[in-house]
Amino acid sequence: MKKIFLDANIVIDFLDASSKDHSTAVDCLSIIRKHFGKPVVSPITFIITNFILGKFAKNKDWHKKQMQYTFSEFEITPIQPSFIPALFSTHFTDLEDGLQHQCALHAKARVILTKDIKDYFDSKIPVVHPADFVNKYNNLLPR
C-alpha cells in the first residue's frame, strides 16, 4: 500500500477547527484513510502538535486523551540516531523538515504532504501541497 507521510502542519490544521486550512486537512485524512490506509507521521509531529495545541488546552487531561486518540490513528515512524548525520548530508536548511524527510524515507513513504513545499526542495520523495492532493483526488472521482 502506498504510504502518505504528513508534515506536522497538516496534523495541526486537522486538529485546529479554527484553522483556515482545517477542512482541507480533514479532506486529506479522509482520502488517505479511505484509499491508502493509516497516514504516516513522525514522533517530531507528535512533539510539535503537543507543544502548539497544548499551550491552548485548559484541561490537560482532556488534551492528553485527545492526543492519544488522534495519534492512535496514525502510523508513527521511528527516529534513528543515524538520521542526524544523514540530515546534514542534504541541502535542507530547515533542520526540522530535514529530519521529517529522514523519517519519511525510513518509512518508505511515497508522498509527503506539507504546506511548506519550498522547505522540501531537496526531497527524494514527491512533495505535494494538501490542497493539490485533495483537488487531484476529487477530480479523479466519478461525477
Side-chain angles (χ1 to χ4, degrees), residues 7 44 48 83-103 119-121:
D7 195 9
I44 303 155
I48 292 169
F83 292 1
I84 302 298
L87 160 65
F88 290 123
S89 70
T90 70
H91 294 101
F92 278 88
T93 53
D94 183 315
L95 299 180
E96 180 266 325
D97 286 331
L99 192 53
Q100 292 277 29
H101 181 259
Q102 292 299 312
C103 291
D119 290 342
Y120 284 83
F121 69 92

Side-chain angles (χ1 to χ4, degrees), residues 24-92:
T24 301
V26 169
D27 289 347
C28 280
L29 271 88
S30 177
I31 291 166
I32 294 166
R33 288 180 177 139
K34 184 174 181 178
H35 299 286
F36 303 102
K38 279 188 171 186
V40 181
V41 298
S42 74
I44 303 155
T45 293
F46 177 85
I47 293 165
I48 292 169
T49 303
N50 181 62
F51 177 76
I52 290 174
L53 298 181
K55 291 195 284 184
F56 302 105
K58 300 203 183 335
N59 181 327
K60 298 300 180 187
D61 288 331
W62 176 86
H63 172 71
K64 181 179 177 181
K65 286 179 182 153
Q66 290 303 305
M67 291 290 291
Q68 179 181 15
Y69 173 74
T70 299
F71 280 86
S72 70
E73 297 298 314
F74 295 116
E75 177 183 328
I76 301 176
T77 70
I79 295 180
Q80 311 254 342
S82 62
F83 292 1
I84 302 298
L87 160 65
F88 290 123
S89 70
T90 70
H91 294 101
F92 278 88

